[in-house]
């Protein structure tokens, strides 16, 4: 499957000269890293971004090669003439959600480190709960083909229809209002063209597996930042690139029948009454500019956040906002979307929303202490506006480092309500995972 398999096999024969081998989930490379670069047996050093390589379970499943060709694609101005037409209604109905082996492997390896038998058994259950797979660097895109092939084979073997959940997350100058999740592409360094290449790579693989349905969350935080953070220079500077890149993603993914939900922040962000109308207008404008792609199904809310779908009472930190949970936010946003011609359907992340009233401020987003896994993914949502409750953030993967010397340190990750000793964003945070398991609500 991977062109690099032979190369990796060869690498493993090279004698290890570096002194100590790094333990599972430890850092093993990155800019400024001078420690060990090899991992203990059973783990492989994998590059997650320029700043961080990590020892992950198993042999290398993430190709370490990067594309050698610079993508030269420019956006098409016409709507793609794909032959696919979306089925009316909820894209999840009638489909089995594919369990991504990457997360399942992370969870199984994490469970193996838990000594308490009860907690270990609970942790292992998480491996069977579907989460989204984040394509946050171009180097990971080739793994999508592997997952799609696997889902296709499972579908053929079982007679079930499979659905793969992905997060599209690689806009240039990403995470413009924070530091922890800065991406690999910069606008100054031809990042928009590189982003087109990233989208093209996803599309090329999806095209090969028309029997597998793909649901995508499009670019967490990006459009929400354009609604509220244009006072931040990096956000205003990224405005055109974010819009152009998003329109390209919507058109191209539509052409291969990917059901899309644009990220819409959460109740404590775009849910403030003053932000609802500007947000709805931005979503509707981009949708029209992309040619009203029929596979754009709606919006994803609460991605990687901690808000309840329906809080029993407002968390004190939400004071002043009548939309104090996701259902209030969604009910308030839907009419504004509909009047702008945007499809008002939603999916809601509840992966880490099991415990409420744990934040000192509503805007705190980084590894919030005391969080627990939340409602299990379900189509039984209690609202005709909500297609599915989903787990979008893979619980246990870190939001951002608490190391104040790291170039990607964001002050939110050093707050008193943020868990200490946090590794870099996207890498495994064992103690945080163990707390999510222990505090799960409903219990695992
Ligand atoms: C914190 O980050 C700096 C700079 O990347 C690094 O040299 C140092 O080893 C890190 N400290 C820990 C405890 O990881």
């Amino acid at each position: 499957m991977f062109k690099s398999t032979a190369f990796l096999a060869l690498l493993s024969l090279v004698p290890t000269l570096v002194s100590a081998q790094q333990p599972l989930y430890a850092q093993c490379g990155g800019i400024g890293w001078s420690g060990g670069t090899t991992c203990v047996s059973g783990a492989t050093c994998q590059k997650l971004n320029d700043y961080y390589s990590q020892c992950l379970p198993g042999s290398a499943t993430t190709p370490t090669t990067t594309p050698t060709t610079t993508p030269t694609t420019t956006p098409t101005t016409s709507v793609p003439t794909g032959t696919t037409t979306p089925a009316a209604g909820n894209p999840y109905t009638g489909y089995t959600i594919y369990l991504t082996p990457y997360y399942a492997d992370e969870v199984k390896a994490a469970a193996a480190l838990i000594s308490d038998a009860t907690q270990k058994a609970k942790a292992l259950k998480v491996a069977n709960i579907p989460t989204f797979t984040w394509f946050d660097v171009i180097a990971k895109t080739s793994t999508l083909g592997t997952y799609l092939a696997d889902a296709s084979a499972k579908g053929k073997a079982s007679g079930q229809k499979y659905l793969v959940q992905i997060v599209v997350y690689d806009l240039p100058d990403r995470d413009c209002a924070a530091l922890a999740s800065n991406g690999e592409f910069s606008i100054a360094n031809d990042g928009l063209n590189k982003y087109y290449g990233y989208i093209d790579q996803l599309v090329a693989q999806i095209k090969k597996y028309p029997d597998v349905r793909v649901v995508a969350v499009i670019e967490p935080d990006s459009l929400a930042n354009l609604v509220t953070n244009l006072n931040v220079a990096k956000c205003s500077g990224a405005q055109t690139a974010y819009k152009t890149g998003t329109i390209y993603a919507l058109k191209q993914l539509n052409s291969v029948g990917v059901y899309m939900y644009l990220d819409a922040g959460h109740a404590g962000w775009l849910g403030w009454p003053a932000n609802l109308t500007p947000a709805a207008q931005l979503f509707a404008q981009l949708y029209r500019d992309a040619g009203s792609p029929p596979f754009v199904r709606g919006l994803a809310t609460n991605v990687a956040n901690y808000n309840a779908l329906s809080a029993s009472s407002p968390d004190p930190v939400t004071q002043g906002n009548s939309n104090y949970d996701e259902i209030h936010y969604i009910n308030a946003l839907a009419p504004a979307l509909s009047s702008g011609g945007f499809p008002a359907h939603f999916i809601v992340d509840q992966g880490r929303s099991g415990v409420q009233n744990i934040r000192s401020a509503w805007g705190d987003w980084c590894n919030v202490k005391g969080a627990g896994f939340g409602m299990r993914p379900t189509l039984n949502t209690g609202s005709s506006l909500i297609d599915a409750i989903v787990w979008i953030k893979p619980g246990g993967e870190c939001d951002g480092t608490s190391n104040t010397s790291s170039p990607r340190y964001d002050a939110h990750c050093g707050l008193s309500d943020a868990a200490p000793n946090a590794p870099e964003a996207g890498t495994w945070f064992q103690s945080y995972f163990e707390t999510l398991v222990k505090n799960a609500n409903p219990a695992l």
Side-chain angles (χ1 to χ4, degrees):
M1 180 57 62
F2 296 118
K3 274 182 284 182
S4 54
T5 305
F7 176 64
L8 290 168
L10 191 65
L11 269 187
S12 64
L13 298 174
V14 174
T16 304
L17 299 172
V18 184
S19 49
Q21 291 185 317
Q22 300 297 101
L24 189 60
Y25 298 122
Q27 186 171 3
C28 55
I31 293 169
W33 175 251
S34 56
T37 54
T38 58
C39 303
V40 290
S41 168
T44 312
C45 186
Q46 295 189 38
K47 177 180 170 176
L48 299 180
N49 57 58
D50 287 346
Y51 298 103
Y52 208 90
S53 298
Q54 187 179 33
C55 292
L56 294 174
S59 54
T61 51
T62 305
T64 50
T65 45
T66 48
T68 49
T69 48
T70 305
T72 52
T73 329
T74 49
T76 51
T77 46
S78 60
V79 181
T81 53
T83 48
T84 15
T85 40
N90 186 343
Y92 282 89
T93 304
Y95 278 74
T96 300
I97 307 177
Y98 179 69
L99 291 168
T100 307
Y102 182 83
Y103 184 64
D105 286 351
E106 283 184 321
V107 167
K108 285 174 197 162
L113 299 175
I114 298 174
S115 47
D116 181 275
T118 307
Q119 291 304 314
K120 187 196 288 280
K122 289 183 175 189
L124 278 172
K125 291 186 183 171
V126 178
N128 292 320
I129 299 171
T131 61
F132 279 63
T133 303
W134 292 57
F135 290 90
D136 55 353
V137 287
I138 197 166
K140 285 186 187 169
T141 55
S142 56
T143 59
L144 176 58
T146 316
Y147 300 150
L148 293 171
D150 190 24
S152 175
K154 285 189 161 74
K156 288 195 177 95
S158 66
Q160 293 173 326
K161 295 184 288 185
Y162 268 80
L163 181 155
V164 170
Q165 303 180 118
I166 67 171
V167 178
V168 173
Y169 189 53
D170 209 11
L171 274 173
D173 286 13
R174 191 176 72 197
D175 206 20
C176 63
L179 296 171
S181 296
N182 284 183
E184 61 184 343
F185 300 148
S186 73
I187 293 167
N189 189 18
D190 202 27
L192 189 55
N193 273 317
K194 290 176 180 167
Y195 184 70
Y196 299 152
Y198 158 85
I199 294 294
D200 291 349
Q201 296 215 15
L202 293 176
V203 165
Q205 293 168 82
I206 292 165
K207 201 184 256 175
K208 287 190 235 162
Y209 303 96
D211 57 323
V212 180
R213 178 166 286 183
V214 178
V215 165
V217 167
I218 306 297
E219 297 293 343
D221 294 355
S222 59
L223 297 180
N225 272 320
L226 299 188
V227 176
T228 64
N229 288 323
L230 289 179
N231 58 321
V232 177
K234 189 176 172 190
C235 292
S236 59
Q239 189 172 12
T240 305
Y242 277 14
K243 287 182 182 173
T244 313
T246 302
I247 289 167
Y248 186 78
L250 298 184
K251 284 182 172 181
Q252 300 307 316
L253 294 167
N254 181 71
S255 75
V256 287
V258 174
Y259 285 83
M260 290 169 274
Y261 296 87
L262 277 74
D263 181 83
H266 60 89
W269 190 350
L270 301 184
W272 288 90
N275 295 337
L276 290 170
T277 303
Q281 286 170 345
L282 180 61
F283 292 124
Q285 183 66 51
L286 275 176
Y287 176 68
R288 280 195 301 273
D289 290 350
S292 304
F295 284 94
V296 172
R297 172 71 183 167
L299 300 175
T301 79
N302 201 46
V303 175
N305 211 275
Y306 307 85
N307 296 339
L309 173 64
S310 179
S312 51
S313 62
D315 183 331
V317 299
T318 68
Q319 200 181 6
N321 187 351
S322 52
N323 300 317
Y324 57 85
D325 58 20
E326 295 304 298
I327 191 65
H328 282 86
Y329 169 39
I330 285 167
N331 287 337
L333 183 60
L337 292 170
S338 297
S339 68
F342 187 93
H345 306 285
F346 297 84
I347 53 174
V348 183
D349 189 356
Q350 289 291 287
R352 302 191 301 181
S353 296
V355 184
Q356 292 300 303
N357 300 13
I358 51 176
R359 287 171 285 187
S360 319
W362 205 358
D364 294 353
W365 51 265
C366 193
N367 307 317
V368 173
K369 269 189 211 165
F373 282 119
M375 284 175 72
R376 305 301 113 83
T378 179
L379 304 194
N380 191 3
T381 67
S383 165
S384 58
L385 293 170
I386 304 176
D387 286 342
I389 301 302
V390 287
W391 284 17
I392 298 175
K393 171 79 185 184
E397 292 185 3
C398 191
D399 295 320
T401 180
S402 58
N403 179 350
T404 53
S405 310
S406 167
R408 297 170 102 214
Y409 173 71
D410 187 289
H412 284 95
C413 304
L415 293 172
S416 59
D417 61 359
N421 304 317
E424 291 281 347
T427 67
W428 194 254
F429 192 0
Q430 178 72 18
S431 61
Y432 199 75
F433 171 76
E434 292 180 16
T435 309
L436 287 171
V437 169
K438 198 192 300 171
N439 293 350
N441 177 24
L444 283 159

